[in-house]
Amino acid sequence: MATERFAGARVVVTGAAGFLGSHLTDALLAAGAEVVGVDNLVTGSLDNLAHLASEPRFELIEHDVTCHIEVPGPLDLVLHAASPASPVDYLQLPIQTLKVGSLGTHNALGLAKDNRAGFLLFSTSEVYGDPEVHPQPETYRGNVDPIGPRGVYDEAKRFAEALTFAYHRTHGVPVHVVRIFNTYGPRMRMADGRAVPNFIRQALAGEPLTVHGDGEQTRSLCYVDDLVAGMLAVLERDVRGPINLGSSHEFTVNAVAEAVMDAVGSHPGIVHVERPVDDPQVRCPDTGLAERLLGWHAGTGLAEGLERTVAWYRRAR
Ligand code: UDP
């Protein structure tokens, strides 16, 4: 997709070595941009960027964005993806998660402001917490426990949204905020702790799939290529947001486990284990705004997306 917005643009991607950051980096390079990745490799991996080793339009700066970010040369866009994003990761890295959402967002916004560049915040459906409104429209203000275990991520992203809009109102930075719902695909770490990689790892090993609680909680799952297309559309159409990006097809976790077993072609069964504190009971985006403003929806079906993802994990093992 070589569009005017990206061809020849110089773009910073924080968290470029992560799951979403690396896929977005690939899409930007394919659209003709030059990408400067910034990552401290806490949850990201150089493996996700290995295929770019001889790409002259890509460079990686190994740096923790909670410290002042220096990127020499002019910039057109700063895309701020850096953060632990799996519940297991942010429960293990609570202070880093709070710092990257607050100090990291401050530094990334400062970089955008100094360069008169645009800014995109990778926000999250977690800003809605354990929602009492279903599906969740962007106008819903959420149900988050600030001092609960997930508060470190939820509140960091809520603060990041507030800071992003403050920079827009105070300094005129052209900002975009996307609220990303559950997304899956190649390059999620096997040990990332999230449902899809966990279930795939377990099914490939012939071990029972660990479903939390009774498995009747719901999620909608977006294939990564769809998500990246939605993000590029947000930038191309200059949509400020916050805007939900995700699939509107809702499944129980039990159904996701069954779908993964079908995709792997191995049926070791399900074992029900303890459910994490504050695990949202339901989650599904109202995608009306994305459909209206972007003409976008997540088109890849779960079976097809899982098939592609499982094929990648088989190769990567
Ligand atoms: N989950 C599960 N087994 C696992 C991992 C996750 O049953 O091994 C559940 C989790 O409790 C949640 C859903 O699957 O209800 C999605 O979890 P995930 O970690 O993928 O993302 P979240 O939606 O919690 O951010």
Side-chain angles (χ1 to χ4, degrees):
M1 193 197 303
T3 65
E4 273 181 30
R5 172 100 208 215
F6 305 115
R10 191 152 183 268
V11 184
V12 163
V13 178
T14 76
F19 165 52
L20 294 181
S22 66
H23 281 284
L24 192 66
T25 294
D26 285 345
L28 290 164
L29 291 169
E34 188 183 324
V35 177
V36 182
V38 184
D39 205 301
N40 66 352
L41 304 176
V42 166
T43 55
S45 164
L46 291 177
D47 291 347
N48 292 336
L49 300 170
H51 60 290
L52 300 177
S54 57
E55 169 55 67
R57 285 181 293 116
F58 177 74
E59 68 175 292
L60 179 70
I61 300 174
E62 280 191 39
H63 176 71
D64 178 349
V65 296
T66 66
C67 304
H68 180 80
I69 310 169
E70 244 352 291
V71 179
L75 294 174
D76 301 292
L77 276 170
V78 176
L79 312 185
H80 183 40
S83 178
S86 151
V88 170
D89 286 339
Y90 56 73
L91 296 184
Q92 275 169 5
L93 301 165
I95 295 171
Q96 289 94 326
T97 302
L98 282 158
K99 283 175 74 178
V100 76
S102 53
L103 305 178
T105 303
H106 187 216
N107 290 330
L109 278 162
L111 185 66
K113 174 174 157 270
D114 283 355
N115 284 278
R116 298 179 187 281
F119 179 85
L120 171 74
L121 175 68
F122 284 51
S123 186
T124 168
S125 56
E126 284 277 339
V127 299
Y128 301 125
D130 190 3
E132 291 158 316
V133 171
H134 190 65
Q136 295 80 57
E138 289 83 352
T139 49
Y140 177 49
R141 293 182 184 180
N143 178 33
V144 171
D145 177 359
I147 60 162
R150 295 175 92 102
V152 296
Y153 184 61
D154 304 5
E155 296 294 6
K157 290 292 189 180
R158 290 170 68 96
F159 176 87
E161 288 198 10
L163 193 60
T164 299
F165 274 80
Y167 264 67
H168 174 60
R169 293 187 189 114
T170 308
H171 297 304
V173 175
V175 301
H176 313 269
V177 174
V178 291
R179 291 184 179 153
I180 302 166
F181 283 66
N182 295 64
T183 300
Y184 69 101
R187 300 186 194 157
M188 289 180 97
R189 280 172 17 247
M190 270 271 188
D192 152 311
R194 282 183 278 199
V196 170
N198 254 9
F199 291 166
I200 292 177
R201 177 173 52 77
Q202 290 161 343
L204 285 172
E207 294 165 6
L209 279 59
T210 52
V211 167
H212 296 165
D214 67 4
E216 288 305 298
Q217 67 271 34
T218 67
R219 296 293 187 272
S220 66
L221 296 174
C222 181
Y223 188 65
V224 64
D225 290 357
D226 291 337
L227 186 91
V228 167
M231 284 200 182
L232 294 187
V234 164
L235 292 167
E236 283 170 327
R237 306 221 174 173
D238 216 8
V239 170
R240 177 105 35 244
I243 184 165
N244 290 339
L245 292 181
S247 164
S248 52
H249 292 286
E250 188 179 359
F251 297 92
T252 64
V253 170
N254 286 323
V256 173
E258 293 294 339
V260 168
M261 288 190 277
D262 290 346
V264 173
S266 143
H267 292 80
I270 283 171
V271 59
H272 292 277
V273 299
E274 198 184 335
R275 184 130 175 244
V277 176
D278 287 343
D279 186 33
Q281 182 58 26
V282 291
R283 179 185 290 155
C284 185
D286 178 332
T287 53
L289 194 62
E291 277 158 34
R292 271 200 314 285
L293 296 184
L294 310 174
W296 174 90
H297 76 280
T300 308
L302 185 60
E304 185 190 343
L306 285 176
E307 196 180 309
R308 289 193 221 161
T309 308
V310 168
W312 181 83
Y313 276 108
R314 282 192 203 280
R315 285 198 304 274
R317 259 202 311 170

